[in-house]
Amino acid sequence: MDAVRVALLRDVLAGTRWPQDARRFALALRASVAPRGGGLLLAGTEAYEPWHLAAHLSDESAWSGLPELAPTLVRHRVAAGEPAHLAVGLGRIAAAGRGETVLLVAPERPGEDLLERVHDARRAGARVLALDGGGDPEVGGLAHESLVVGGDDEVDLDIVQHLVSAAAGENGRPPAGGRRTFRDRLSGLADRLTQPPPARW
């Protein structure tokens, strides 16, 4: 989803909690990975692999000059012969420790195996964040920071992932000379174009 579509989505959701909550969560994500220099592990449940979020975070990483936002997608099942970037299994989460961040995307309750591995990572010093589609208390208890999307909300977990990934890449590191990136300028223009006209009295 490009900057213009994200700005339009924020405009549609103005007056709800989602643009602000997504920015808060994105700032927590940035604060988790930036001082640690990377090591972002992205995992879903056995039934849901967050491919789209992985792609969007990789794009935001490149556009914003924040390499630490580029995630490693952790998968429940890895087929023989998969390329290296698609061959990272759950053992990687269990091996995570201080300086690394685990981002869990859970439309439904994760299996016990995944929860145990995330618990091990947290106990070893990894930071845990969760996009939680079910409000599961165990997921909430594991996460240092979570954003819960319930069935009665105005949005679904896919929309929230778009909002979070876009917000995570906004206002990245300025390039040499302090100039804003093209991505920042495009995002600012899109926000201005979608603002309502000023009231005239």
Side-chain angles (χ1 to χ4, degrees):
M1 187 175 285
D2 60 35
V4 173
R5 288 193 178 98
V6 170
L8 290 171
L9 181 57
R10 286 175 179 155
D11 191 47
V12 168
L13 293 171
T16 72
R17 68 184 180 96
W18 296 108
Q20 182 177 349
D21 281 5
R23 279 195 170 104
R24 174 191 54 78
F25 187 85
L27 285 173
L29 175 60
R30 286 266 297 265
S32 295
V33 298
R36 297 164 180 240
L40 174 58
L41 305 175
L42 175 61
T45 62
E46 191 167 356
Y48 179 84
E49 287 189 330
W51 291 94
H52 267 78
L53 183 56
H56 286 303
L57 285 172
S58 294
D59 288 345
E60 293 295 339
S61 166
W63 291 330
S64 63
L66 296 166
E68 57 271 20
L69 276 180
T72 298
L73 181 63
V74 178
R75 306 179 66 199
H76 287 258
R77 289 174 297 281
V78 176
E82 294 271 20
H85 70 287
L86 297 178
V88 179
L90 289 180
R92 180 64 183 86
I93 291 178
R98 191 168 305 282
E100 295 181 288
T101 301
V102 177
L103 174 53
L104 177 61
V105 182
E108 70 282 329
R109 179 181 168 78
E112 291 302 322
D113 186 34
L114 176 58
L115 289 172
E116 286 175 16
R117 290 170 192 261
V118 172
H119 179 72
D120 290 344
R122 178 176 169 136
R123 196 168 46 206
R127 187 121 175 115
V128 178
L129 290 87
L131 289 172
D132 184 358
D136 185 88
E138 194 163 357
V139 172
L142 278 175
H144 293 93
E145 186 78 33
S146 63
L147 181 54
V148 177
V149 185
D152 297 330
D153 288 318
E154 303 93 338
V155 297
D156 61 20
L157 197 57
D158 286 336
I159 288 175
V160 170
Q161 289 177 70
H162 284 297
L163 293 171
V164 167
S165 60
E170 285 175 347
N171 304 313
R173 292 194 192 105
R179 296 186 55 181
R180 294 171 64 212
T181 65
F182 173 74
R183 173 85 173 158
D184 288 335
R185 294 195 309 271
L186 179 60
S187 179
L189 174 62
D191 283 339
R192 287 194 303 276
L193 289 174
T194 56
Q195 285 178 350
R200 296 183 183 275
W201 300 100

